[in-house]
Amino acid sequence: MVLDEHLKDFKKEFKEYLKNKNPDWNIKKVEIHSMRAFFAYNDDVDILFWESLLDEESLDKAKERILSYLSNELDFNAALVYTDEYFSDMKALKDFFDERYNGVENLLNQEYKYIQEIYKISKDALDKINGNADYAYSEKCYIKIFENMINGKKFTLKCSDKVIIYFIKKIAIDYGKENLINALKATTLYIKYLYEKTKHKLNNLRKACEDISLEYNLNISFKDDIFNGINFNNFENSYIFQGSPKYYDVIGAILDLDFVTWKVRQYSNQIKEGDRAYIYLSGEDPGIIAKGIVSCSPEANFSDAFDPYIISDNFRYTNDKTVDIKITNKFVDKKISKDLLLSDEHLKNLKIISEPNKTNYLITSKQADIFNKMIDGTYFKKDPKKPYSREDFLKDVYIDESDYEDLMHLLKYKKNIIIEGPPGVGKTFAAKRLAYSILGNCDESHIMMVQFHQSYSYEDFIMGFRPTKDGFELKEGPFYNFCKEAEKCLDEDYFFIIDEINRGNLSKIFGELLVLIENDKRGEKLRLIYRGELFSVPKNLYLIGLMNTADRSLATMDYALRRRFAFFQMKPAFNNENFKEMILKSNNENLNRLIECIVSLNQLIRSDESLGEGFEIGHSYFCTGKDFTIFNLRALIKYEFIPLIKEYWYLDRAKIDKWTKKLYDSIE
């Protein structure tokens, strides 16, 4: 929708507005309040969202809708708290539009009528046609198709011939000859596009468009000559585009922008619209940080426009050819590292590694497919099977032998466990090594890890329709694929690890599979909501969830879910003999005193009625493998421990100051 296209600019301006209004807020706090303001409708910023900002009455109605929605997800008291937070930030957003744009109504008056007309027509089409072939496509897809048609733009979202013809005739009647010509032009581009991809001539659609052209006396041909000059071998290629943080803020550009412009010095005559693009960050911590699609052929760039992401004066576009890349996937914090690339036999000879001084590189479709698997979490790395025993686990993970036996047998019996504990007790570290110890080796192909978040869904986890440049495609999720992998070797164990499991809505994510993960239901089959396939969770697959007990922002798991998991609590291991031995070897008095201070701090946290043992500070802060110089210890206190106690006792300044002094004094 048209208003949504301005969202990026609105969000940027709103963040500046919040910062100016609240100069004491840090960047993180500004981001949080901005997010709440724009995503109060569960990430669905539609016309209802804009109308909510018209006046105080519409805001009140929005508050009621938000409370109604949250009450279905949370207990009522928690829903009230979150609703107040969303409402406060939406009110700030309304004030922003009132001050900056003379009210959101001014924006709606410019574009609302146009949007509503498109919406009504596309809704009429759905109601009248009601074809089974189109049940999977949302109203917004039809709106986008209709929008492109009246503007003469190519559309690639697939829909039935009936829908397209209905739209064209509706445009002819209600929007006039000029818009009809645009609709036929857009349909011509669509037919060409599909013919190039599939070689299917869409004869029924072409014949119908030809008849409409004749009926309205238009000189638009839909005969075979429209396909002349199409290169049927012109399929998309895949390229790596490299950027150096020495000259350009690659990470900043990727995080902030939906389109980036990139220099092209190789393959400038081959790169074309639709090619796959992977953004590679060079430097000290290299790796692939984003995926996208080339949106134009290379062109000479003579622009002297200011680029805020340029770091060095040596960086200039000059007369270099450039391409625009639409970013579709951003994973800056979980980059595909150079080490991971080197570890795969199909990727270790990539020219970006052997010849690192070029702007872009052509890669094979096989290499691109491996990149995609790494990005979507379905990559199974075939590492050498290094032996790993029970003794190795006890040496690496600081828990007692009896606790290890309980944990292992609990997983074997229940098949689904959750390892819970405060920050820094090594939950993720322990989960992978628990799997290794049961496997008897470090076989990564038998282990998969994902991380849940508030927007994670059944479609992400199991299976669902996902948008592509051609329309929508049914794609399997990581859990579906991992179950299929485990089914191939029922005599071997497989482990699926879910980090931050309580951040996701488990009923929504697992869907009908919630029954199948029970230990006594393994191997039984249910029909999936997509594809109608009978599916089961194999008996040799084990689920390990990880839960941070100190995160107050998370909703508790309901009892129906809890009974399907066994819970194992990990605690700080400062008294573990192996941990003590590791610290003793460091021979560092400052470190010893700091640990003693943390142990005392944990005693206070445990006794605090508002906190408890689930908020203690874990031992893994001291298991980094780094030298504990006085500089590193100060950094640990300043950037890790003090922010934590500030969060715990944000209303008790005296306690924060007291323990800040104690922590620093322990190493001085």
Side-chain angles (χ1 to χ4, degrees):
M1 296 170 74
V2 180
L3 278 173
D4 288 357
E5 293 176 3
H6 303 316
L7 268 182
K8 180 183 168 186
D9 293 333
F10 289 150
K11 287 177 183 177
K12 184 177 179 181
E13 291 179 21
F14 182 56
K15 289 174 187 176
E16 293 172 354
Y17 171 85
L18 288 177
K19 187 62 180 172
N20 291 334
K21 290 282 185 179
N22 307 278
D24 57 323
W25 285 7
N26 58 28
I27 295 175
K28 183 178 180 181
K29 193 166 185 178
V30 170
E31 289 284 349
I32 289 172
H33 285 278
S34 174
M35 178 190 71
R36 287 175 180 165
F38 277 97
F39 294 96
Y41 282 90
N42 198 27
D43 207 2
D44 189 10
V45 182
D46 57 11
I47 197 62
L48 186 62
F49 169 84
W50 295 107
E51 286 182 331
S52 298
L53 304 173
L54 286 173
D55 50 40
E56 297 300 328
E57 183 180 351
S58 61
L59 263 182
D60 289 338
K61 290 180 180 178
K63 187 175 183 179
E64 292 174 8
R65 285 193 294 269
I66 295 167
L67 178 59
S68 174
Y69 170 78
L70 291 176
S71 296
N72 294 325
E73 304 292 324
L74 307 168
D75 68 72
F76 189 71
N77 288 332
L80 279 174
V81 172
Y82 283 114
T83 298
D84 287 340
E85 291 175 352
Y86 281 129
F87 179 74
S88 174
D89 290 323
M90 284 193 72
K91 191 173 187 310
L93 183 61
K94 178 187 178 301
D95 292 341
F96 159 72
F97 279 112
D98 289 346
E99 292 180 22
R100 189 70 57 88
Y101 292 98
N102 195 27
V104 74
E105 187 173 8
N106 184 47
L107 297 172
L108 290 175
N109 286 339
Q110 296 173 34
E111 307 184 50
Y112 178 66
K113 183 179 178 182
Y114 171 70
I115 294 169
Q116 285 292 71
E117 285 178 351
I118 293 173
Y119 188 86
K120 183 180 183 303
I121 290 173
S122 60
K123 192 86 168 65
D124 290 345
L126 286 172
D127 293 341
K128 291 184 180 181
I129 295 164
N130 196 25
N132 290 331
D134 300 295
Y135 73 94
Y137 299 100
S138 69
E139 293 174 4
K140 285 190 176 181
C141 295
Y142 287 106
I143 292 170
K144 191 65 181 176
I145 292 170
F146 191 87
E147 241 184 331
N148 286 352
M149 290 178 77
I150 63 175
N151 287 297
K153 297 178 181 178
K154 179 178 72 177
F155 55 92
T156 57
L157 294 169
K158 293 180 181 178
C159 63
S160 73
D161 295 354
K162 289 181 181 179
V163 173
I164 294 176
I165 296 303
Y166 179 90
F167 279 170
I168 294 174
K169 289 183 176 179
K170 192 70 175 175
I171 290 170
I173 295 169
D174 295 346
Y175 282 77
K177 186 173 181 178
E178 182 179 344
N179 285 292
L180 170 62
I181 292 172
N182 283 340
L184 291 169
K185 176 184 175 184
T187 307
T188 306
L189 294 171
Y190 170 68
I191 294 172
K192 281 185 177 182
Y193 172 82
L194 286 185
Y195 188 59
E196 181 179 2
K197 293 294 180 185
T198 66
K199 299 187 180 179
H200 179 54
K201 292 187 178 181
L202 302 176
N203 286 324
N204 290 336
L205 181 58
R206 291 168 52 246
K207 179 67 169 63
C209 289
E210 188 75 22
D211 291 343
I212 293 172
S213 298
L214 291 172
E215 180 183 348
Y216 286 89
N217 194 27
L218 302 174
N219 186 25
I220 301 175
S221 175
F222 281 81
K223 296 180 180 178
D224 285 349
D225 59 0
I226 70 168
F227 304 117
N228 289 343
I230 292 178
N231 178 8
F232 297 118
N233 296 316
N234 193 22
F235 300 110
E236 75 253 14
N237 290 318
S238 299
Y239 297 89
I240 296 176
F241 293 85
Q242 177 174 225
S244 170
K246 183 178 178 181
Y247 302 108
Y248 196 76
D249 182 8
V250 183
I251 291 178
I254 293 299
L255 289 176
D256 294 344
L257 306 175
D258 295 325
F259 283 83
V260 294
T261 300
W262 222 266
K263 287 184 180 181
V264 171
R265 290 178 179 168
Q266 290 78 37
Y267 307 103
S268 60
N269 294 325
Q270 294 175 237
I271 296 174
K272 62 188 179 305
E273 180 182 357
D275 284 342
R276 287 186 284 186
Y278 302 88
I279 307 299
Y280 185 88
L281 175 71
S282 62
E284 295 181 358
D285 188 17
I288 297 173
I289 61 171
K291 174 186 173 184
I293 298 172
V294 175
S295 60
C296 65
S297 298
E299 300 176 271
N301 192 326
F302 299 99
S303 174
D304 291 326
F306 172 73
D307 187 337
Y309 301 98
I310 293 177
I311 294 173
S312 170
D313 290 338
N314 294 328
F315 185 96
R316 295 188 183 89
Y317 288 118
T318 60
N319 294 335
D320 289 313
K321 287 188 175 181
T322 62
V323 293
D324 291 333
I325 300 171
K326 180 182 180 180
I327 302 300
T328 58
N329 301 77
K330 302 179 182 184
F331 37 93
V332 171
D333 293 331
K334 296 184 178 180
K335 66 168 67 72
I336 301 173
S337 67
K338 179 181 176 181
D339 289 341
L340 182 57
L341 299 178
L342 287 169
S343 69
D344 189 285
E345 62 177 1
H346 297 288
L347 304 178
K348 62 185 179 182
N349 294 321
L350 284 168
K351 287 191 175 181
I352 195 167
I353 296 172
S354 59
E355 303 173 20
N357 296 319
K358 297 180 179 179
T359 60
N360 54 287
Y361 305 79
L362 177 66
I363 59 174
T364 66
S365 59
K366 172 70 174 178
Q367 291 169 334
D369 289 339
I370 295 173
F371 286 167
N372 292 338
K373 289 181 178 180
M374 289 177 171
I375 292 167
D376 64 24
T378 58
Y379 173 73
F380 305 114
K381 180 183 169 188
K382 301 293 183 181
D383 283 340
K385 296 182 180 180
K386 176 185 174 183
Y388 196 89
S389 66
R390 172 176 173 277
E391 289 71 26
D392 291 322
F393 179 92
L394 292 171
K395 182 181 177 182
D396 292 343
V397 182
Y398 301 130
I399 67 174
D400 295 335
E401 185 174 354
S402 60
D403 288 335
Y404 167 74
E405 294 294 335
D406 289 344
L407 181 57
M408 182 191 64
H409 290 301
L410 193 61
L411 179 60
K412 282 286 189 179
Y413 166 73
K414 189 73 174 178
K415 294 193 181 294
N416 312 314
I417 66 168
I418 288 178
I419 300 175
E420 60 178 350
V425 292
K427 298 182 289 293
T428 306
F429 185 82
K432 290 195 74 171
R433 278 146 191 83
L434 174 63
Y436 293 158
S437 70
I438 296 174
L439 289 169
N441 57 65
C442 301
D443 188 355
E444 291 285 345
S445 67
H446 283 232
I447 302 171
M448 176 176 281
M449 177 180 283
V450 299
Q451 186 179 73
F452 281 179
H453 50 77
Q454 287 89 338
S455 299
Y456 207 76
S457 67
Y458 179 95
E459 288 74 18
D460 299 313
F461 191 58
I462 311 295
M463 181 185 297
F465 283 96
R466 284 287 174 261
T468 68
K469 63 181 180 181
D470 299 328
F472 283 83
E473 180 181 348
L474 185 62
K475 290 188 176 182
E476 297 92 0
F479 188 70
Y480 174 93
N481 288 323
F482 198 67
C483 287
K484 291 297 183 183
E485 199 72 23
E487 283 180 350
K488 298 174 185 177
C489 307
L490 290 174
D491 57 339
E492 299 179 19
D493 293 328
Y494 284 74
F495 300 87
F496 196 92
I497 302 171
I498 304 173
D499 194 16
E500 305 284 4
I501 190 169
N502 53 332
R503 284 188 177 274
N505 183 333
L506 268 67
S507 298
K508 171 185 173 185
I509 294 170
F510 278 96
E512 69 273 20
L513 298 195
L514 204 54
V515 174
L516 299 184
I517 66 172
E518 292 189 57
N519 57 345
D520 60 344
K521 300 293 193 300
R522 296 300 182 90
E524 296 183 11
K525 293 182 181 292
L526 279 178
R527 197 170 297 279
L528 297 179
I529 58 175
Y530 293 101
R531 196 188 282 163
E533 171 189 348
L534 285 172
F535 180 81
S536 66
V537 178
K539 295 180 179 180
N540 60 328
L541 187 145
Y542 298 90
L543 278 169
I544 304 176
L546 308 176
M547 181 186 292
N548 185 353
T549 53
D551 196 332
R552 307 186 212 224
S553 66
L554 304 178
T556 56
M557 295 172 64
D558 64 48
Y559 291 111
L561 295 171
R562 277 189 169 272
R563 72 176 183 80
R564 290 175 167 85
F565 290 87
F567 288 75
F568 181 89
Q569 187 173 27
M570 285 190 68
K571 299 180 179 180
F574 294 113
N575 291 323
N576 181 273
E577 293 303 321
N578 288 334
F579 177 81
K580 288 180 177 179
E581 184 179 344
M582 184 268 292
I583 296 298
L584 188 62
K585 287 180 181 178
S586 68
N587 192 26
N588 187 326
E589 284 301 317
N590 288 324
L591 176 60
N592 293 336
R593 289 194 299 272
L594 177 57
I595 290 175
E596 289 175 6
C597 188
I598 293 297
V599 170
S600 298
L601 179 57
N602 278 344
Q603 291 175 349
L604 178 64
I605 291 171
R606 282 198 304 274
S607 64
D608 191 313
E609 292 182 358
S610 66
L611 299 173
E613 61 182 12
F615 290 80
E616 291 182 80
I617 296 172
H619 57 276
S620 65
Y621 289 101
F622 303 98
C623 301
T624 60
K626 297 179 180 178
D627 292 332
F628 285 104
T629 63
I630 192 69
F631 175 81
N632 287 339
L633 290 176
R634 283 199 191 102
L636 184 61
I637 292 170
K638 181 176 181 180
Y639 298 112
E640 308 233 27
F641 296 148
I642 291 176
L644 204 56
I645 64 175
K646 282 182 176 179
E647 183 179 339
Y648 287 175
W649 294 302
Y650 60 94
L651 295 177
D652 194 338
R653 187 71 235 182
K655 192 173 288 186
I656 293 171
D657 292 342
K658 174 184 175 181
W659 280 97
T660 297
K661 184 176 186 304
K662 279 192 173 187
L663 288 168
Y664 280 124
D665 286 349
S666 69
I667 64 171
E668 296 300 337

